[in-house]
Amino acid sequence: MQEVGTAEAQAAWGWLLVAQGLYNVAGGIYRVTGGTRKGFTQAQEGIQRVERLNGYEPMTIIPLISLFITANQVNELDVALGAAQDCLEVATRIGDHWAIAKAKQILSITAIDAADYNTADRMAWEALAAFEDSGDKWSESVLCVEVLGLLAITLRDFDLAKDWIQRGLKAAQEIEFQYGQQMAYWQLGYIAALQENYAEAGENWARAVEMGETILGGGTIIGFGGTGNSGEWGGRVLIKE
């Protein structure tokens, strides 16, 4: 493949690789052979291309989040942690408050994996405060359902987990964020199953699957993502941005 020349072209090519990497991870219909590992490799190459360009530092935020997602998919947890830390460092340096909050959100996931629950809780609360201040209901929904809810589930505090997920569901409903609603129902079903309330679990999962079929033509997106170990979080954090 011919190497592109200008800095602008290099930056665009890096972004294209990152996007293609996420598409392969998500299982897009036009994905190339190689699946998640191929997606991870493309995300690595994409971020490397953008990072070596002077003056394009703000453009590394989304690629770093993408690298975090794809690295988790292939259980490269050290790479995922590095991407999350780099994202926070860059976001802080350029003063991007949304990106700082998003970096703290993904760092809270790595802290849960490391059983560092105090750090996970602190990072998640700091991110939540930023999203509330900015009125970002989309990010608030994701954070409540898939981070604070996950943390409470991990700590076996199921009542608290339900409270967080219900809050995330409400935020998603306020902006008609159907995918956020879908994931909330999925997590509520998971909690019900852990409590051996299988009828309630089935009802919530049926809602999640029904929404998946409506939105995406199938329920395969449920469970997309994962932190290598817990499998509770994934690429939907990137979609809106």
Side-chain angles (χ1 to χ4, degrees), residues 2-240:
Q2 185 176 1
E3 186 74 13
V4 290
T6 67
E8 289 82 0
Q10 281 286 329
W13 181 239
W15 268 62
L16 178 61
L17 284 168
V18 167
Q20 182 63 55
L22 274 180
Y23 195 68
N24 284 322
V25 166
I29 191 170
Y30 299 113
R31 66 188 182 277
V32 298
T33 303
T36 55
R37 178 57 64 173
K38 179 69 173 179
F40 172 57
T41 301
Q42 288 174 318
Q44 284 183 303
E45 184 179 349
I47 187 61
Q48 287 167 2
R49 286 177 179 270
V50 178
E51 281 183 331
R52 63 177 178 239
L53 299 173
N54 293 326
Y56 286 83
E57 193 170 47
M59 291 186 68
T60 63
I61 296 296
I62 298 302
L64 283 168
I65 296 174
S66 304
L67 181 59
F68 172 82
I69 293 165
T70 56
N72 272 304
Q73 284 282 341
V74 296
N75 209 28
E76 295 281 356
L77 301 185
D78 288 342
V79 175
L81 176 60
Q85 291 171 333
D86 288 347
C87 185
L88 180 59
E89 180 181 338
V90 171
T92 301
R93 189 159 55 243
I94 66 177
D96 187 329
H97 298 294
W98 176 87
I100 290 170
K102 197 62 76 173
K104 289 180 177 180
Q105 176 177 325
I106 61 179
L107 279 168
S108 68
I109 294 294
T110 65
I112 292 172
D113 275 343
D116 185 356
Y117 303 126
N118 288 332
T119 296
D121 186 66
R122 175 175 58 82
M123 288 283 187
W125 272 100
E126 290 175 1
L128 180 61
F131 296 144
E132 286 180 322
D133 287 345
S134 65
D136 186 351
K137 291 291 184 181
W138 189 91
S139 292
E140 179 185 344
S141 172
V142 171
L143 182 70
C144 289
V145 174
E146 302 180 29
V147 181
L148 287 161
L150 170 60
L151 177 59
I153 290 170
T154 303
L155 296 173
R156 312 288 293 184
D157 189 340
F158 298 134
D159 289 338
L160 179 60
K162 287 180 181 179
D163 288 344
W164 279 122
I165 294 166
Q166 290 287 358
R167 175 172 172 173
L169 176 60
K170 182 176 183 293
Q173 289 171 334
E174 288 177 4
I175 58 172
E176 298 183 356
F177 177 30
Q178 289 184 299
Y179 187 72
Q181 296 175 57
Q182 180 194 51
M183 294 311 301
Y185 287 126
W186 181 254
Q187 291 289 59
L188 288 171
Y190 179 58
I191 294 170
L194 290 174
Q195 295 178 307
E196 299 184 358
N197 189 340
Y198 301 115
E200 181 180 334
E203 291 173 2
N204 281 298
W205 284 338
R207 288 182 178 180
V209 170
E210 181 181 358
M211 296 196 76
E213 290 172 347
T214 300
I215 300 166
L216 301 163
T220 57
I221 196 68
I222 293 177
F224 161 55
T227 60
N229 296 325
S230 61
E232 293 297 328
W233 185 83
R236 50 261 180 196
V237 72
L238 181 64
I239 303 302
K240 171 176 175 285

